[in-house]
């Protein structure tokens, strides 16, 4: 699982900071999460192949999370994209994008599917053999969802030598990986666990931006491998966090602790701060696990 | 008169090229012309003070000319702007911007005025004591206007020594600058032209993007000081220019020649070209006046 930070600052794009956008590589998918202004240039800078992006998830309709979407959709058209594109986001997103297409008299030459979200309960919005994506209802000024990306358990690992020693025909190897017990060439039942190892633990990634401190998400994100939780402010500005429904680094860390996550990634920093290390230090006072600071262009590998 | 090129490429923003946006400083105004994605960052890079931008002119509703507008309007709000903002552009622009504000539940804390354009004839859309702005109907795939910015003639220049020698009371100097003849302290009529010089020739700037080759604009832009005319293609790709309703460098030069402009600025290059000098060379085969190539970050002074 690989996470590329395209933008991790709040509010306005500036010369060296970008609004929210991330790319999650998971099980051969390239998921784009949020798409602030300038995201298409950030994709180019970070050498993400446009054609590999087939699913875009938009948390909410504040501009710093989606103003780059319409341009990206247009660019895909200009580059004569053929692959389908699926966009998941709050109701209203389809209207705003299609209005702009209509005014430009420019329609996509690829299939563009909108999956508009309205539920206030967690729901599965994408699923295939390898991954499942569901929403994490967040507490922000407008309707907002985080997203939970979960690998499905993979196949068991065959211990090849043990299987051959047990005189099992190769034709059964597939069944073994899938967890079945099998009969060997001597007609003896071989227990699956004797010749296989458990599959690697499935990875999971929870993206939570933007949100006030909200313990209701804890059961949803319980024990995820990686949690990205917004930390717009430091504790000294908690008074600003409350009315704007954002979180402090300390609050993000408290959620990480309660949810017992593996790694906490901080981001969505207010542009008032120059020193991002202060966010990490503050979070460390609460959460003793791994803490990383999102930075534009940073790539995190979670293996 | 000062022209700052924020973006001068067509179609899609890339790492080192930007879609159309320009700033025209004229008679103490800072006019923003078109506003492709990333314009607000380009404004920052070029140190244009946000608060000085009070009028934005949008030529047409293709994304590479206005996808940066909604973000700029939002950023003005976040920076607690107080100054009025006037936006001039095709009908539909107000709907698309206000829809996005509604979805974000984020309304401007400054006065935002839309001046929607529908006329297919040239019309004056802004005027004050110092400048006049009118539309230049262009021939593109959707409704498109260029814009003509004209300084109004200034006051005559007083030849101070001559006026004093002519024994004119200082109280009359204002009248002299305005062009009147006056009576001197000896009761003698002094002709204005004896003690003043004509005002400097008013400058004018015509912005013409995007457009097919269109001689109908020649009388409108006749003898302008500076013409920006799109040159999306070189002549070798004229076959692409026609159906997309764009121009070649040679066609832009032909318009400049017919309109007898002072300076021709080329831009809106297709991103297929690496060598922009070819545009200049091609235009020089037709137009013998001053030719400049728009480039991101370039500032032209026209005095």
């Amino acid at each position: 699982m690989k996470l590329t930070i395209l933008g991790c600052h709040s509010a306005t794009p500036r010369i060296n900071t970008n609004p929210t956008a991330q790319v999650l590589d998971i099980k051969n998918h390239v998921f784009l999460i949020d798409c602030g202004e300038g995201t298409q240039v950030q994709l180019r800078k970070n050498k993400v192949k446009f054609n590999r992006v087939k699913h875009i998830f938009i948390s909410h309709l504040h501009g710093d999370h989606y103003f780059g979407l319409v341009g990206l959709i247009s660019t895909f058209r200009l580059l004569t994209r053929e692959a389908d594109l699926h966009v998941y986001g709050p109701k209203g997103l389809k209207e705003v994008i299609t209005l702009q297409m209509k005014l430009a008299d420019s329609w996509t030459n690829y299939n563009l599917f909108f999956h508009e979200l309205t539920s206030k309960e967690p729901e599965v919005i994408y699923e295939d053999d390898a991954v499942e994506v569901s929403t994490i209802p967040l507490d922000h000024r407008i309707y907002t969802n985080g997203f939970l990306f979960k690998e499905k358990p993979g196949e068991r690992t065959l211990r090849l030598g043990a299987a051959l020693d047990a005189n099992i025909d190769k034709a059964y190897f597939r069944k073994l990986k899938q967890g079945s017990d099998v009969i060997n060439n001597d007609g003896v039942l071989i227990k699956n666990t004797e010749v296989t190892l458990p599959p690697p633990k499935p990875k999971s990634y929870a993206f939570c931006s933007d949100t006030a401190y909200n313990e209701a998400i804890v059961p949803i994100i319980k024990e995820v491998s990686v949690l990205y939780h917004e930390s717009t402010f430091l504790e000294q500005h908690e008074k600003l966090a409350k009315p704007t429904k954002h979180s402090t680094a300390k609050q993000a860390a408290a959620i990480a602790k309660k949810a017992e996550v593996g790694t906490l990634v901080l981001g969505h920093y207010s542009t008032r701060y120059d020193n991002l290390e202060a966010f990490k230090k503050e979070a460390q006072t609460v959460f003793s696990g791994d803490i990383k600071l999102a930075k534009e262009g940073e790539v995190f590998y979670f293996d």
Side-chain angles (χ1 to χ4, degrees), chain A:
Chain A
M1 196 169 72
K2 174 183 162 191
L3 181 68
T4 305
I5 306 296
L6 303 179
C8 56
H9 281 76
S10 68
T12 76
R14 299 183 307 168
I15 296 173
N16 292 313
T17 68
N18 290 79
T20 304
Q22 305 184 350
V23 173
L24 181 71
D25 286 69
I26 182 171
K27 289 276 183 187
N28 215 27
H29 283 288
V30 175
F31 291 135
L32 176 61
I33 309 167
D34 279 349
C35 190
E37 183 174 349
T39 295
Q40 60 178 303
V41 174
Q42 288 295 92
L43 285 167
R44 285 183 191 270
K45 275 190 190 164
N46 290 278
K47 302 193 193 311
V48 178
K49 289 193 178 145
F50 283 5
N51 263 327
R52 293 210 57 211
V53 177
K54 289 175 184 154
H55 302 269
I56 302 176
F57 299 87
I58 302 293
S59 63
H60 66 301
L61 299 185
H62 280 154
D64 56 334
H65 294 258
Y66 88 106
F67 279 168
L69 179 62
V70 66
L72 185 60
I73 286 172
S74 302
T75 293
F76 284 164
R77 181 182 60 78
L78 289 165
L79 299 178
T80 65
R81 177 190 178 102
E82 292 183 356
D84 292 355
L85 180 67
H86 294 266
V87 179
Y88 308 77
K91 191 168 168 54
L93 189 55
K94 182 178 179 179
E95 184 186 0
V96 82
I97 300 294
T98 51
L99 173 62
Q100 289 176 92
M101 286 184 188
K102 190 184 80 175
L103 291 169
D105 194 23
S106 299
W107 303 93
T108 60
N109 39 9
Y110 56 91
N111 292 319
L112 174 59
F113 300 96
F114 288 94
H115 305 269
E116 291 198 315
L117 309 175
T118 54
S119 173
K120 291 184 176 174
E121 300 296 322
E123 58 177 340
V124 175
I125 54 175
Y126 176 79
E127 187 173 14
D128 61 25
D129 290 348
V131 292
E132 182 188 282
V133 185
S134 51
T135 55
I136 308 167
L138 298 177
D139 179 17
H140 195 42
R141 302 197 299 281
I142 57 172
Y143 176 71
T144 303
N145 287 298
F147 299 104
L148 175 61
F149 303 83
K150 277 162 58 177
E151 291 180 358
K152 291 190 173 175
E155 294 190 328
R156 297 183 67 85
T157 303
L158 184 70
R159 290 166 55 219
L160 187 62
L164 294 173
D165 288 350
N167 202 18
I168 298 171
D169 191 283
K170 282 183 182 173
Y172 289 105
F173 284 4
R174 179 101 201 129
K175 270 189 164 306
L176 285 171
K177 287 181 185 172
Q178 290 167 347
S180 303
D181 300 335
V182 297
I183 308 284
N184 75 358
N185 292 330
D186 309 317
V188 179
L189 179 81
I190 308 291
K191 284 258 179 200
N192 186 288
T193 48
E194 288 173 27
V195 292
T196 69
L197 295 170
K201 198 189 165 199
K203 298 274 185 307
S204 52
Y205 175 64
F207 170 86
C208 295
S209 184
D210 299 359
T211 187
Y213 178 77
N214 178 21
E215 292 183 3
I217 68 173
V218 170
I220 307 171
I221 62 173
K222 194 80 184 175
E223 292 178 10
V224 292
S225 321
V226 182
L227 165 66
Y228 172 88
H229 194 292
E230 74 126 292
S231 55
T232 308
F233 297 105
L234 292 172
E235 195 185 15
Q236 59 178 299
H237 293 117
E238 195 182 341
K239 275 190 184 165
L240 294 175
K242 213 158 194 178
T244 58
K245 294 218 171 189
H246 283 299
S247 301
T248 65
K250 201 168 181 178
Q251 289 171 332
I255 295 292
K257 186 183 181 186
K258 282 180 193 288
E260 300 173 81
V261 310
T263 295
L264 169 65
V265 181
L266 296 173
H268 199 265
Y269 319 108
S270 161
T271 51
R272 82 191 57 220
Y273 304 107
D274 289 327
N275 173 20
L276 299 183
E277 289 299 322
F279 286 84
K280 191 169 180 176
K281 277 191 187 152
E282 185 173 305
Q284 279 169 335
T285 63
V286 173
F287 178 63
S288 58
D290 183 32
I291 299 176
K292 296 191 189 306
L293 290 173
K295 286 178 188 165
E296 274 84 3
E298 189 100 40
V299 179
F300 299 114
Y301 292 89
F302 302 104
D303 293 318

